[in-house]
Amino acid sequence: MTHDEFQIIAADHGFQRVYFTNPMKFDLGANRFHLIADALSSFPHATCIAVLVYPYAPFTSEERIPAYYLASNRAYHAVNRIISELASAGIRAEKAAIPIKSQLECSHVGVKCKNSLISIAPFGTRTVLLALAIDGLSPIEYDERGEVCGDCSLCIRSCPMGAIGQDGLNASMCMRLHMDTAMHPDWVRNVQRTYIGCEICQYACKRNAALTNTKPADEVASAFELKRLISGDAAEARGFVGRNMSGNGKLTAEAIAFAARDGLYEEEILAASDSPFEAVQDAIRYAKFVGGIADE
């Protein structure tokens, strides 16, 4: 199989770019995401690390449905199909949970932004990145580096937590990194704009300015309807974003917080008190405090 043939297979599954890079070793320090630091040792058979780029269209900044996590779930299933297709062609491919942004940066692809995301023209930061350890394809040298952020401070000024500075991201202050579980602190609930994650700095970034916004499909919008999620009917929504990102009542708890801030669905919020999930009970507590909801 050639590089071009590999890229055709990837494109058929929504990945618009593939970068064939050298297996590398990184010093990841605390490594909170348990990434593989040494691809050379972890994948001794691999002749290259293929980084697959899955671009997606953002929704408007007023939309609470997370465009990234919808795309991430699609990309996750797509890459599984690619692995199967490559296996049928005699190509060994394994998912590689490596630090992909560092991998691309060291391969001279894209530019790392102050918010820690990597921008790849013409997609900006609106991409899902996945990596495969490949046996049988050689690395390619690239020079697709973008212009550095310089004095631009748009993402810095947009971050409600003040987590971004001229020197980069302070991870301990980043809202997204406090949203891995269903239980969110109140300071997150106060400013959260989208389910599951945060996209505020990406809306501010001028690298994304040329991208065309789209709308969630009707079936997605229906699945994420506030009242439906508050009632605990979250199965369809979880199917769209991935069950590993939305368990333990996460979507219901977030919907309750959104509704409380909007002054909506007081009765429905109180009715959710029979939920078995601790995060939902905590969201009801938050709703009573923020929305002035009183028990009947």
PDB file of all heavy atoms in Angstrom, residues 34-71:
ATOM      1  N   HIS A  34      -2.459   9.809  30.761  1.00  0.00           N
ATOM      2  CA  HIS A  34      -1.873   8.478  30.594  1.00  0.00           C
ATOM      3  C   HIS A  34      -1.514   8.209  29.124  1.00  0.00           C
ATOM      4  O   HIS A  34      -1.765   7.123  28.590  1.00  0.00           O
ATOM      5  CB  HIS A  34      -2.820   7.397  31.117  1.00  0.00           C
ATOM      6  CG  HIS A  34      -3.263   7.636  32.525  1.00  0.00           C
ATOM      7  ND1 HIS A  34      -2.399   7.564  33.591  1.00  0.00           N
ATOM      8  CD2 HIS A  34      -4.479   7.982  33.035  1.00  0.00           C
ATOM      9  CE1 HIS A  34      -3.058   7.828  34.713  1.00  0.00           C
ATOM     10  NE2 HIS A  34      -4.310   8.093  34.401  1.00  0.00           N
ATOM     11  N   LEU A  35      -0.931   9.205  28.481  1.00  0.00           N
ATOM     12  CA  LEU A  35      -0.512   9.052  27.100  1.00  0.00           C
ATOM     13  C   LEU A  35       0.764   8.228  27.010  1.00  0.00           C
ATOM     14  O   LEU A  35       1.533   8.134  27.973  1.00  0.00           O
ATOM     15  CB  LEU A  35      -0.284  10.427  26.460  1.00  0.00           C
ATOM     16  CG  LEU A  35      -1.499  11.351  26.394  1.00  0.00           C
ATOM     17  CD1 LEU A  35      -1.098  12.717  25.848  1.00  0.00           C
ATOM     18  CD2 LEU A  35      -2.601  10.735  25.539  1.00  0.00           C
ATOM     19  N   ILE A  36       0.979   7.648  25.850  1.00  0.00           N
ATOM     20  CA  ILE A  36       2.191   6.873  25.599  1.00  0.00           C
ATOM     21  C   ILE A  36       3.325   7.834  25.283  1.00  0.00           C
ATOM     22  O   ILE A  36       3.277   8.565  24.285  1.00  0.00           O
ATOM     23  CB  ILE A  36       1.972   5.893  24.430  1.00  0.00           C
ATOM     24  CG1 ILE A  36       0.917   4.842  24.828  1.00  0.00           C
ATOM     25  CG2 ILE A  36       3.277   5.226  24.020  1.00  0.00           C
ATOM     26  CD1 ILE A  36       0.479   3.968  23.677  1.00  0.00           C
ATOM     27  N   ALA A  37       4.336   7.848  26.135  1.00  0.00           N
ATOM     28  CA  ALA A  37       5.437   8.795  25.956  1.00  0.00           C
ATOM     29  C   ALA A  37       6.457   8.317  24.934  1.00  0.00           C
ATOM     30  O   ALA A  37       7.068   9.123  24.229  1.00  0.00           O
ATOM     31  CB  ALA A  37       6.128   9.044  27.299  1.00  0.00           C
ATOM     32  N   ASP A  38       6.637   7.008  24.854  1.00  0.00           N
ATOM     33  CA  ASP A  38       7.687   6.453  24.003  1.00  0.00           C
ATOM     34  C   ASP A  38       7.076   5.520  22.966  1.00  0.00           C
ATOM     35  O   ASP A  38       6.903   4.320  23.207  1.00  0.00           O
ATOM     36  CB  ASP A  38       8.701   5.711  24.868  1.00  0.00           C
ATOM     37  CG  ASP A  38       9.923   5.234  24.074  1.00  0.00           C
ATOM     38  OD1 ASP A  38       9.930   5.416  22.842  1.00  0.00           O
ATOM     39  OD2 ASP A  38      10.849   4.697  24.697  1.00  0.00           O
ATOM     40  N   ALA A  39       6.750   6.081  21.812  1.00  0.00           N
ATOM     41  CA  ALA A  39       6.168   5.267  20.738  1.00  0.00           C
ATOM     42  C   ALA A  39       7.179   4.292  20.176  1.00  0.00           C
ATOM     43  O   ALA A  39       6.812   3.217  19.684  1.00  0.00           O
ATOM     44  CB  ALA A  39       5.634   6.176  19.626  1.00  0.00           C
ATOM     45  N   LEU A  40       8.439   4.621  20.236  1.00  0.00           N
ATOM     46  CA  LEU A  40       9.483   3.735  19.715  1.00  0.00           C
ATOM     47  C   LEU A  40       9.483   2.398  20.451  1.00  0.00           C
ATOM     48  O   LEU A  40       9.618   1.330  19.838  1.00  0.00           O
ATOM     49  CB  LEU A  40      10.850   4.409  19.853  1.00  0.00           C
ATOM     50  CG  LEU A  40      11.102   5.619  18.953  1.00  0.00           C
ATOM     51  CD1 LEU A  40      12.325   6.383  19.430  1.00  0.00           C
ATOM     52  CD2 LEU A  40      11.281   5.179  17.514  1.00  0.00           C
ATOM     53  N   SER A  41       9.316   2.444  21.776  1.00  0.00           N
ATOM     54  CA  SER A  41       9.312   1.221  22.566  1.00  0.00           C
ATOM     55  C   SER A  41       7.942   0.557  22.581  1.00  0.00           C
ATOM     56  O   SER A  41       7.838  -0.673  22.589  1.00  0.00           O
ATOM     57  CB  SER A  41       9.741   1.527  24.013  1.00  0.00           C
ATOM     58  OG  SER A  41      11.065   2.019  24.047  1.00  0.00           O
ATOM     59  N   SER A  42       6.888   1.362  22.596  1.00  0.00           N
ATOM     60  CA  SER A  42       5.535   0.811  22.693  1.00  0.00           C
ATOM     61  C   SER A  42       5.070   0.155  21.404  1.00  0.00           C
ATOM     62  O   SER A  42       4.246  -0.766  21.428  1.00  0.00           O
ATOM     63  CB  SER A  42       4.551   1.923  23.089  1.00  0.00           C
ATOM     64  OG  SER A  42       4.867   2.443  24.352  1.00  0.00           O
ATOM     65  N   PHE A  43       5.584   0.620  20.277  1.00  0.00           N
ATOM     66  CA  PHE A  43       5.205   0.073  18.975  1.00  0.00           C
ATOM     67  C   PHE A  43       6.478  -0.265  18.183  1.00  0.00           C
ATOM     68  O   PHE A  43       6.795   0.390  17.187  1.00  0.00           O
ATOM     69  CB  PHE A  43       4.343   1.068  18.195  1.00  0.00           C
ATOM     70  CG  PHE A  43       3.135   1.555  18.937  1.00  0.00           C
ATOM     71  CD1 PHE A  43       3.119   2.811  19.523  1.00  0.00           C
ATOM     72  CD2 PHE A  43       2.017   0.739  19.077  1.00  0.00           C
ATOM     73  CE1 PHE A  43       2.007   3.263  20.214  1.00  0.00           C
ATOM     74  CE2 PHE A  43       0.897   1.177  19.767  1.00  0.00           C
ATOM     75  CZ  PHE A  43       0.893   2.442  20.340  1.00  0.00           C
ATOM     76  N   PRO A  44       7.223  -1.268  18.629  1.00  0.00           N
ATOM     77  CA  PRO A  44       8.510  -1.570  17.984  1.00  0.00           C
ATOM     78  C   PRO A  44       8.373  -1.974  16.526  1.00  0.00           C
ATOM     79  O   PRO A  44       9.336  -1.866  15.757  1.00  0.00           O
ATOM     80  CB  PRO A  44       9.063  -2.720  18.835  1.00  0.00           C
ATOM     81  CG  PRO A  44       7.858  -3.329  19.499  1.00  0.00           C
ATOM     82  CD  PRO A  44       6.925  -2.192  19.742  1.00  0.00           C
ATOM     83  N   HIS A  45       7.177  -2.433  16.131  1.00  0.00           N
ATOM     84  CA  HIS A  45       6.969  -2.839  14.745  1.00  0.00           C
ATOM     85  C   HIS A  45       6.700  -1.647  13.836  1.00  0.00           C
ATOM     86  O   HIS A  45       6.796  -1.764  12.607  1.00  0.00           O
ATOM     87  CB  HIS A  45       5.749  -3.760  14.674  1.00  0.00           C
ATOM     88  CG  HIS A  45       4.480  -3.052  15.017  1.00  0.00           C
ATOM     89  ND1 HIS A  45       4.089  -2.816  16.331  1.00  0.00           N
ATOM     90  CD2 HIS A  45       3.513  -2.486  14.237  1.00  0.00           C
ATOM     91  CE1 HIS A  45       2.935  -2.159  16.329  1.00  0.00           C
ATOM     92  NE2 HIS A  45       2.570  -1.951  15.080  1.00  0.00           N
ATOM     93  N   ALA A  46       6.340  -0.513  14.408  1.00  0.00           N
ATOM     94  CA  ALA A  46       5.835   0.603  13.611  1.00  0.00           C
ATOM     95  C   ALA A  46       6.946   1.285  12.824  1.00  0.00           C
ATOM     96  O   ALA A  46       7.986   1.649  13.379  1.00  0.00           O
ATOM     97  CB  ALA A  46       5.140   1.609  14.504  1.00  0.00           C
ATOM     98  N   THR A  47       6.702   1.473  11.558  1.00  0.00           N
ATOM     99  CA  THR A  47       7.633   2.233  10.716  1.00  0.00           C
ATOM    100  C   THR A  47       7.263   3.706  10.676  1.00  0.00           C
ATOM    101  O   THR A  47       8.081   4.545  10.299  1.00  0.00           O
ATOM    102  CB  THR A  47       7.644   1.676   9.288  1.00  0.00           C
ATOM    103  OG1 THR A  47       6.303   1.664   8.778  1.00  0.00           O
ATOM    104  CG2 THR A  47       8.211   0.266   9.265  1.00  0.00           C
ATOM    105  N   CYS A  48       6.022   4.035  11.042  1.00  0.00           N
ATOM    106  CA  CYS A  48       5.634   5.437  11.128  1.00  0.00           C
ATOM    107  C   CYS A  48       4.407   5.569  12.035  1.00  0.00           C
ATOM    108  O   CYS A  48       3.729   4.583  12.327  1.00  0.00           O
ATOM    109  CB  CYS A  48       5.350   6.042   9.749  1.00  0.00           C
ATOM    110  SG  CYS A  48       3.725   5.646   9.070  1.00  0.00           S
ATOM    111  N   ILE A  49       4.159   6.796  12.460  1.00  0.00           N
ATOM    112  CA  ILE A  49       2.937   7.152  13.163  1.00  0.00           C
ATOM    113  C   ILE A  49       2.107   7.999  12.205  1.00  0.00           C
ATOM    114  O   ILE A  49       2.523   9.092  11.801  1.00  0.00           O
ATOM    115  CB  ILE A  49       3.211   7.947  14.454  1.00  0.00           C
ATOM    116  CG1 ILE A  49       4.061   7.127  15.428  1.00  0.00           C
ATOM    117  CG2 ILE A  49       1.899   8.383  15.093  1.00  0.00           C
ATOM    118  CD1 ILE A  49       3.366   5.912  16.002  1.00  0.00           C
ATOM    119  N   ALA A  50       0.958   7.486  11.819  1.00  0.00           N
ATOM    120  CA  ALA A  50       0.069   8.227  10.929  1.00  0.00           C
ATOM    121  C   ALA A  50      -0.888   9.054  11.782  1.00  0.00           C
ATOM    122  O   ALA A  50      -1.645   8.500  12.582  1.00  0.00           O
ATOM    123  CB  ALA A  50      -0.712   7.278  10.028  1.00  0.00           C
ATOM    124  N   VAL A  51      -0.835  10.365  11.629  1.00  0.00           N
ATOM    125  CA  VAL A  51      -1.757  11.261  12.336  1.00  0.00           C
ATOM    126  C   VAL A  51      -2.895  11.610  11.381  1.00  0.00           C
ATOM    127  O   VAL A  51      -2.668  12.190  10.312  1.00  0.00           O
ATOM    128  CB  VAL A  51      -1.054  12.532  12.820  1.00  0.00           C
ATOM    129  CG1 VAL A  51      -2.069  13.473  13.482  1.00  0.00           C
ATOM    130  CG2 VAL A  51       0.057  12.185  13.798  1.00  0.00           C
ATOM    131  N   LEU A  52      -4.111  11.241  11.757  1.00  0.00           N
ATOM    132  CA  LEU A  52      -5.279  11.435  10.916  1.00  0.00           C
ATOM    133  C   LEU A  52      -6.050  12.666  11.394  1.00  0.00           C
ATOM    134  O   LEU A  52      -6.299  12.823  12.589  1.00  0.00           O
ATOM    135  CB  LEU A  52      -6.193  10.212  10.954  1.00  0.00           C
ATOM    136  CG  LEU A  52      -5.714   8.950  10.205  1.00  0.00           C
ATOM    137  CD1 LEU A  52      -4.574   8.266  10.945  1.00  0.00           C
ATOM    138  CD2 LEU A  52      -6.870   7.967  10.037  1.00  0.00           C
ATOM    139  N   VAL A  53      -6.419  13.521  10.454  1.00  0.00           N
ATOM    140  CA  VAL A  53      -7.057  14.798  10.759  1.00  0.00           C
ATOM    141  C   VAL A  53      -8.511  14.766  10.296  1.00  0.00           C
ATOM    142  O   VAL A  53      -8.779  14.613   9.098  1.00  0.00           O
ATOM    143  CB  VAL A  53      -6.310  15.963  10.093  1.00  0.00           C
ATOM    144  CG1 VAL A  53      -6.973  17.298  10.435  1.00  0.00           C
ATOM    145  CG2 VAL A  53      -4.842  15.962  10.507  1.00  0.00           C
ATOM    146  N   TYR A  54      -9.419  14.909  11.253  1.00  0.00           N
ATOM    147  CA  TYR A  54     -10.860  14.866  10.982  1.00  0.00           C
ATOM    148  C   TYR A  54     -11.431  16.256  11.246  1.00  0.00           C
ATOM    149  O   TYR A  54     -11.749  16.599  12.382  1.00  0.00           O
ATOM    150  CB  TYR A  54     -11.512  13.829  11.888  1.00  0.00           C
ATOM    151  CG  TYR A  54     -12.948  13.470  11.570  1.00  0.00           C
ATOM    152  CD1 TYR A  54     -13.252  12.282  10.908  1.00  0.00           C
ATOM    153  CD2 TYR A  54     -14.009  14.288  11.956  1.00  0.00           C
ATOM    154  CE1 TYR A  54     -14.566  11.929  10.637  1.00  0.00           C
ATOM    155  CE2 TYR A  54     -15.322  13.946  11.689  1.00  0.00           C
ATOM    156  CZ  TYR A  54     -15.593  12.762  11.027  1.00  0.00           C
ATOM    157  OH  TYR A  54     -16.902  12.411  10.752  1.00  0.00           O
ATOM    158  N   PRO A  55     -11.566  17.094  10.226  1.00  0.00           N
ATOM    159  CA  PRO A  55     -12.107  18.442  10.450  1.00  0.00           C
ATOM    160  C   PRO A  55     -13.611  18.390  10.686  1.00  0.00           C
ATOM    161  O   PRO A  55     -14.294  17.467  10.245  1.00  0.00           O
ATOM    162  CB  PRO A  55     -11.795  19.170   9.133  1.00  0.00           C
ATOM    163  CG  PRO A  55     -10.904  18.258   8.356  1.00  0.00           C
ATOM    164  CD  PRO A  55     -11.180  16.883   8.826  1.00  0.00           C
ATOM    165  N   TYR A  56     -14.113  19.401  11.356  1.00  0.00           N
ATOM    166  CA  TYR A  56     -15.552  19.490  11.574  1.00  0.00           C
ATOM    167  C   TYR A  56     -15.976  20.956  11.522  1.00  0.00           C
ATOM    168  O   TYR A  56     -15.180  21.866  11.784  1.00  0.00           O
ATOM    169  CB  TYR A  56     -15.958  18.870  12.912  1.00  0.00           C
ATOM    170  CG  TYR A  56     -15.430  19.602  14.131  1.00  0.00           C
ATOM    171  CD1 TYR A  56     -16.178  20.590  14.764  1.00  0.00           C
ATOM    172  CD2 TYR A  56     -14.173  19.304  14.652  1.00  0.00           C
ATOM    173  CE1 TYR A  56     -15.699  21.260  15.873  1.00  0.00           C
ATOM    174  CE2 TYR A  56     -13.688  19.967  15.754  1.00  0.00           C
ATOM    175  CZ  TYR A  56     -14.454  20.943  16.362  1.00  0.00           C
ATOM    176  OH  TYR A  56     -13.959  21.607  17.455  1.00  0.00           O
ATOM    177  N   ALA A  57     -17.235  21.175  11.180  1.00  0.00           N
ATOM    178  CA  ALA A  57     -17.784  22.532  11.130  1.00  0.00           C
ATOM    179  C   ALA A  57     -18.319  22.907  12.502  1.00  0.00           C
ATOM    180  O   ALA A  57     -19.067  22.137  13.116  1.00  0.00           O
ATOM    181  CB  ALA A  57     -18.893  22.613  10.091  1.00  0.00           C
ATOM    182  N   PRO A  58     -17.953  24.073  13.014  1.00  0.00           N
ATOM    183  CA  PRO A  58     -18.470  24.487  14.327  1.00  0.00           C
ATOM    184  C   PRO A  58     -19.923  24.922  14.239  1.00  0.00           C
ATOM    185  O   PRO A  58     -20.423  25.302  13.175  1.00  0.00           O
ATOM    186  CB  PRO A  58     -17.571  25.676  14.680  1.00  0.00           C
ATOM    187  CG  PRO A  58     -17.174  26.242  13.347  1.00  0.00           C
ATOM    188  CD  PRO A  58     -17.041  25.065  12.427  1.00  0.00           C
ATOM    189  N   PHE A  59     -20.610  24.851  15.372  1.00  0.00           N
ATOM    190  CA  PHE A  59     -21.925  25.445  15.491  1.00  0.00           C
ATOM    191  C   PHE A  59     -21.748  26.915  15.893  1.00  0.00           C
ATOM    192  O   PHE A  59     -20.626  27.372  16.104  1.00  0.00           O
ATOM    193  CB  PHE A  59     -22.763  24.705  16.541  1.00  0.00           C
ATOM    194  CG  PHE A  59     -22.970  23.240  16.226  1.00  0.00           C
ATOM    195  CD1 PHE A  59     -22.992  22.283  17.235  1.00  0.00           C
ATOM    196  CD2 PHE A  59     -23.143  22.815  14.920  1.00  0.00           C
ATOM    197  CE1 PHE A  59     -23.189  20.947  16.948  1.00  0.00           C
ATOM    198  CE2 PHE A  59     -23.337  21.468  14.614  1.00  0.00           C
ATOM    199  CZ  PHE A  59     -23.354  20.532  15.639  1.00  0.00           C
ATOM    200  N   THR A  60     -22.822  27.651  15.997  1.00  0.00           N
ATOM    201  CA  THR A  60     -22.708  29.031  16.432  1.00  0.00           C
ATOM    202  C   THR A  60     -22.330  29.080  17.909  1.00  0.00           C
ATOM    203  O   THR A  60     -22.504  28.099  18.641  1.00  0.00           O
ATOM    204  CB  THR A  60     -24.035  29.784  16.232  1.00  0.00           C
ATOM    205  OG1 THR A  60     -25.026  29.212  17.091  1.00  0.00           O
ATOM    206  CG2 THR A  60     -24.495  29.697  14.776  1.00  0.00           C
ATOM    207  N   SER A  61     -21.831  30.209  18.348  1.00  0.00           N
ATOM    208  CA  SER A  61     -21.375  30.333  19.728  1.00  0.00           C
ATOM    209  C   SER A  61     -22.526  30.262  20.734  1.00  0.00           C
ATOM    210  O   SER A  61     -22.290  30.057  21.930  1.00  0.00           O
ATOM    211  CB  SER A  61     -20.617  31.655  19.916  1.00  0.00           C
ATOM    212  OG  SER A  61     -21.441  32.756  19.586  1.00  0.00           O
ATOM    213  N   GLU A  62     -23.773  30.408  20.262  1.00  0.00           N
ATOM    214  CA  GLU A  62     -24.919  30.313  21.167  1.00  0.00           C
ATOM    215  C   GLU A  62     -25.387  28.869  21.372  1.00  0.00           C
ATOM    216  O   GLU A  62     -26.193  28.587  22.254  1.00  0.00           O
ATOM    217  CB  GLU A  62     -26.100  31.131  20.617  1.00  0.00           C
ATOM    218  CG  GLU A  62     -25.865  32.637  20.597  1.00  0.00           C
ATOM    219  CD  GLU A  62     -24.998  33.078  19.436  1.00  0.00           C
ATOM    220  OE1 GLU A  62     -24.962  32.339  18.419  1.00  0.00           O
ATOM    221  OE2 GLU A  62     -24.340  34.123  19.545  1.00  0.00           O
ATOM    222  N   GLU A  63     -24.879  27.952  20.570  1.00  0.00           N
ATOM    223  CA  GLU A  63     -25.328  26.561  20.612  1.00  0.00           C
ATOM    224  C   GLU A  63     -24.662  25.814  21.766  1.00  0.00           C
ATOM    225  O   GLU A  63     -23.444  25.884  21.946  1.00  0.00           O
ATOM    226  CB  GLU A  63     -25.007  25.870  19.289  1.00  0.00           C
ATOM    227  CG  GLU A  63     -25.423  24.420  19.209  1.00  0.00           C
ATOM    228  CD  GLU A  63     -26.902  24.240  19.478  1.00  0.00           C
ATOM    229  OE1 GLU A  63     -27.700  24.709  18.658  1.00  0.00           O
ATOM    230  OE2 GLU A  63     -27.239  23.650  20.522  1.00  0.00           O
ATOM    231  N   ARG A  64     -25.454  25.076  22.541  1.00  0.00           N
ATOM    232  CA  ARG A  64     -24.904  24.314  23.662  1.00  0.00           C
ATOM    233  C   ARG A  64     -24.500  22.898  23.281  1.00  0.00           C
ATOM    234  O   ARG A  64     -23.772  22.242  24.027  1.00  0.00           O
ATOM    235  CB  ARG A  64     -25.938  24.269  24.800  1.00  0.00           C
ATOM    236  CG  ARG A  64     -26.020  25.579  25.568  1.00  0.00           C
ATOM    237  CD  ARG A  64     -27.174  25.578  26.535  1.00  0.00           C
ATOM    238  NE  ARG A  64     -27.098  26.740  27.412  1.00  0.00           N
ATOM    239  CZ  ARG A  64     -28.133  27.259  28.051  1.00  0.00           C
ATOM    240  NH1 ARG A  64     -29.335  26.697  27.920  1.00  0.00           N
ATOM    241  NH2 ARG A  64     -27.989  28.310  28.823  1.00  0.00           N
ATOM    242  N   ILE A  65     -24.967  22.416  22.165  1.00  0.00           N
ATOM    243  CA  ILE A  65     -24.568  21.080  21.712  1.00  0.00           C
ATOM    244  C   ILE A  65     -23.121  21.141  21.247  1.00  0.00           C
ATOM    245  O   ILE A  65     -22.743  22.028  20.480  1.00  0.00           O
ATOM    246  CB  ILE A  65     -25.495  20.596  20.587  1.00  0.00           C
ATOM    247  CG1 ILE A  65     -26.939  20.508  21.102  1.00  0.00           C
ATOM    248  CG2 ILE A  65     -25.046  19.252  20.040  1.00  0.00           C
ATOM    249  CD1 ILE A  65     -27.961  20.213  20.038  1.00  0.00           C
ATOM    250  N   PRO A  66     -22.266  20.220  21.686  1.00  0.00           N
ATOM    251  CA  PRO A  66     -20.828  20.321  21.411  1.00  0.00           C
ATOM    252  C   PRO A  66     -20.440  19.752  20.049  1.00  0.00           C
ATOM    253  O   PRO A  66     -20.398  18.538  19.855  1.00  0.00           O
ATOM    254  CB  PRO A  66     -20.205  19.501  22.546  1.00  0.00           C
ATOM    255  CG  PRO A  66     -21.244  18.453  22.843  1.00  0.00           C
ATOM    256  CD  PRO A  66     -22.585  19.085  22.572  1.00  0.00           C
ATOM    257  N   ALA A  67     -20.108  20.625  19.111  1.00  0.00           N
ATOM    258  CA  ALA A  67     -19.726  20.176  17.776  1.00  0.00           C
ATOM    259  C   ALA A  67     -18.506  19.251  17.826  1.00  0.00           C
ATOM    260  O   ALA A  67     -18.438  18.258  17.104  1.00  0.00           O
ATOM    261  CB  ALA A  67     -19.443  21.380  16.880  1.00  0.00           C
ATOM    262  N   TYR A  68     -17.549  19.584  18.694  1.00  0.00           N
ATOM    263  CA  TYR A  68     -16.329  18.771  18.751  1.00  0.00           C
ATOM    264  C   TYR A  68     -16.631  17.333  19.158  1.00  0.00           C
ATOM    265  O   TYR A  68     -16.130  16.379  18.541  1.00  0.00           O
ATOM    266  CB  TYR A  68     -15.317  19.366  19.730  1.00  0.00           C
ATOM    267  CG  TYR A  68     -14.145  18.431  19.967  1.00  0.00           C
ATOM    268  CD1 TYR A  68     -13.099  18.363  19.053  1.00  0.00           C
ATOM    269  CD2 TYR A  68     -14.104  17.580  21.075  1.00  0.00           C
ATOM    270  CE1 TYR A  68     -12.037  17.488  19.243  1.00  0.00           C
ATOM    271  CE2 TYR A  68     -13.052  16.708  21.269  1.00  0.00           C
ATOM    272  CZ  TYR A  68     -12.022  16.663  20.358  1.00  0.00           C
ATOM    273  OH  TYR A  68     -10.984  15.778  20.541  1.00  0.00           O
ATOM    274  N   TYR A  69     -17.448  17.149  20.198  1.00  0.00           N
ATOM    275  CA  TYR A  69     -17.654  15.792  20.701  1.00  0.00           C
ATOM    276  C   TYR A  69     -18.538  14.960  19.783  1.00  0.00           C
ATOM    277  O   TYR A  69     -18.422  13.729  19.758  1.00  0.00           O
ATOM    278  CB  TYR A  69     -18.184  15.836  22.132  1.00  0.00           C
ATOM    279  CG  TYR A  69     -17.093  16.259  23.077  1.00  0.00           C
ATOM    280  CD1 TYR A  69     -17.019  17.567  23.535  1.00  0.00           C
ATOM    281  CD2 TYR A  69     -16.088  15.378  23.449  1.00  0.00           C
ATOM    282  CE1 TYR A  69     -15.985  17.976  24.360  1.00  0.00           C
ATOM    283  CE2 TYR A  69     -15.049  15.770  24.274  1.00  0.00           C
ATOM    284  CZ  TYR A  69     -15.008  17.077  24.720  1.00  0.00           C
ATOM    285  OH  TYR A  69     -13.963  17.473  25.530  1.00  0.00           O
ATOM    286  N   LEU A  70     -19.406  15.593  19.025  1.00  0.00           N
ATOM    287  CA  LEU A  70     -20.122  14.864  17.981  1.00  0.00           C
ATOM    288  C   LEU A  70     -19.137  14.347  16.944  1.00  0.00           C
ATOM    289  O   LEU A  70     -19.184  13.185  16.526  1.00  0.00           O
ATOM    290  CB  LEU A  70     -21.151  15.765  17.309  1.00  0.00           C
ATOM    291  CG  LEU A  70     -22.330  16.255  18.163  1.00  0.00           C
ATOM    292  CD1 LEU A  70     -23.138  17.285  17.388  1.00  0.00           C
ATOM    293  CD2 LEU A  70     -23.222  15.098  18.580  1.00  0.00           C
ATOM    294  N   ALA A  71     -18.208  15.233  16.533  1.00  0.00           N
ATOM    295  CA  ALA A  71     -17.204  14.846  15.538  1.00  0.00           C
ATOM    296  C   ALA A  71     -16.236  13.816  16.102  1.00  0.00           C
ATOM    297  O   ALA A  71     -15.834  12.864  15.405  1.00  0.00           O
ATOM    298  CB  ALA A  71     -16.441  16.080  15.059  1.00  0.00           C
TER     299      ALA A  71
END
